[in-house]
Structure formats: structure tokens, C-alpha cells
Amino acid sequence: MKATFLMPLTVLCLFFSACDRNDDDDSNGGTTNGTDPRANSTWVYKVTQYNEAGATIGSVNMTLKGVEVTLGGATWLNMVDQSTMQPVIALRKNTDGWWYLPYPGTATSLWFKYPATVNETYPYVYGTCTVKNINESVTVPAGAFTGTYMVEGHDTNSLEDEFWFTTSGAVLVKFNTYDQKAAGPASNVFKKQSLELVSYTR
């Protein structure tokens, strides 16, 4: 299992990406659609933590704001936690989808492959992602979303993450992360934390 990368407030593996100031195309190699995240975009997520029995042990809202930065000569979007003013992840749109850099790491990875087909796989930071559905409906505090991509992330022995992505707008609608139960084996996991979109402002 991965070391917890979502801290109680600085939670998440997650999101979106940099847009150029030109809404028709961006410097990252991906074409924007006029709704993609950009500098000053703001997300509010409900972050919920669970114990092994599935009971909720805490819940809080987290607000993230996009700040453009240059990393390795390319424009990325830092997602900055407004309670700590620390970036939790950097994101960038490429022609093959959305890439991310989870802090404090230095390795970038494809996060949301788009377009993709059902059962398609691709590597990510913790192992392999598999596209489970490209037309799923999901309901979160921000409302009901249709046509979402549902993606599972696995390491070598267990489920690590579940993502629900939109192809525009907020990009990440919902996220679950899993951890190994105390009794093991490594494949015996429980949902440790979830993120659900409350609101998104471009």
C-alpha cells in the first residue's frame, strides 16, 4: 500500500490542470474547451475519513485554489489549500489527458487518460489505473454528474484509489482512497478517505 498521501486537511491525490490564457488552446499540448480549470479556479471538497468498520470518524470542507506555476519549463496549476496556503498537487493538461505531480514528490504521472476506452490501463504514481466506465453517473454535494469516467488505481497487490472524472469543468468530482486493514493481507483493504465536490468556480 502507498503511504498516505492525503493528509487530514492537506488531502488528496487529485485534480485538474493548467490552462493557457487562450481558451482555444494551451501551452501544455492539450486543447481546452472553455470550461477547464485555470488560475484562480476554486474547488470546495467535502473530505470524509473512515475507520476499518466503515464508520465516519471525521469530515471537513477543504477549499483549493488554482495558482499557475512554471515547472520544468512548462505551465502547471498548483492546487493550493486555502487553510494552509500550501500546494497539495500540481496539474497539467496534455494531449493524452490530465497529468499530476503530488507534493512533496517530484515524479509526474498521467492521472486521467482522455479519451480512453473501458478496461484500458495506464501507469500512474502508485501502480496501474484501469478505466472501469466512461459513462457513469455519480451524485455528490455539488449535484448529479453524468457521463463521468470511473477509474480504479491499483498497486501490485491491492486497490489504492477510485476516481470519478469529468471531461470539463471541475475534472475531479469524487475520489476514494483505500488502506490495508490491520489484520492483513495486503489485499484486505478498507475505504480510508473520500473527497466529494461541493462547488466549483472557474
Side-chain angles (χ1 to χ4, degrees):
M1 299 297 293
K2 66 178 179 285
T4 283
F5 144 54
L6 304 182
M7 305 300 174
L9 288 176
T10 328
V11 187
L12 123 113
C13 147
L14 311 256
F15 326 124
F16 337 96
S17 157
C19 266
D20 189 18
R21 290 174 181 80
N22 180 345
D23 278 346
D24 296 324
D25 199 2
D26 71 23
S27 59
N28 302 320
T31 300
T32 68
N33 56 18
T35 64
D36 287 338
R38 59 184 177 181
N40 295 316
S41 290
T42 304
W43 298 258
V44 177
Y45 284 94
K46 179 183 178 182
V47 181
T48 306
Q49 308 226 15
Y50 305 91
N51 62 21
E52 288 192 15
T56 299
I57 57 174
S59 182
V60 66
N61 279 0
M62 175 178 64
T63 299
L64 302 173
K65 189 171 185 177
V67 177
E68 282 190 356
V69 294
T70 300
L71 301 171
T75 302
W76 290 69
L77 198 67
N78 263 351
M79 307 307 299
V80 179
D81 184 336
Q82 295 302 287
S83 67
T84 63
M85 300 311 293
Q86 296 298 311
V88 296
I89 193 168
L91 302 133
R92 180 173 183 257
K93 189 176 187 180
N94 282 339
T95 54
D96 57 353
W98 300 88
W99 284 66
Y100 75 118
L101 168 64
Y103 293 114
T106 57
T108 61
S109 176
L110 180 60
W111 181 52
F112 168 33
K113 188 177 190 306
Y114 179 77
T117 57
V118 174
N119 294 323
E120 187 169 357
T121 62
Y122 56 92
Y124 86 131
V125 168
Y126 301 110
T128 302
C129 279
T130 302
V131 179
K132 305 301 286 187
N133 196 333
I134 60 172
N135 192 26
E136 185 153 321
S137 298
V138 61
T139 300
V140 292
F145 291 79
T146 59
T148 64
Y149 276 52
M150 192 279 175
V151 177
E152 288 184 356
H154 291 256
D155 67 4
T156 57
N157 53 32
S158 67
L159 175 66
E160 292 288 321
D161 303 306
E162 295 174 324
F163 309 91
W164 287 260
F165 295 109
T166 63
T167 58
S168 64
V171 183
L172 185 72
V173 172
K174 184 177 178 180
F175 169 77
N176 294 331
T177 190
Y178 292 81
D179 205 355
Q180 180 179 336
K181 290 185 176 181
S187 59
N188 188 18
V189 298
F190 70 101
K191 183 169 71 173
K192 183 176 183 178
Q193 190 172 68
S194 70
L195 238 73
E196 297 176 295
L197 186 68
V198 174
S199 66
Y200 167 69
T201 306
R202 186 169 188 258

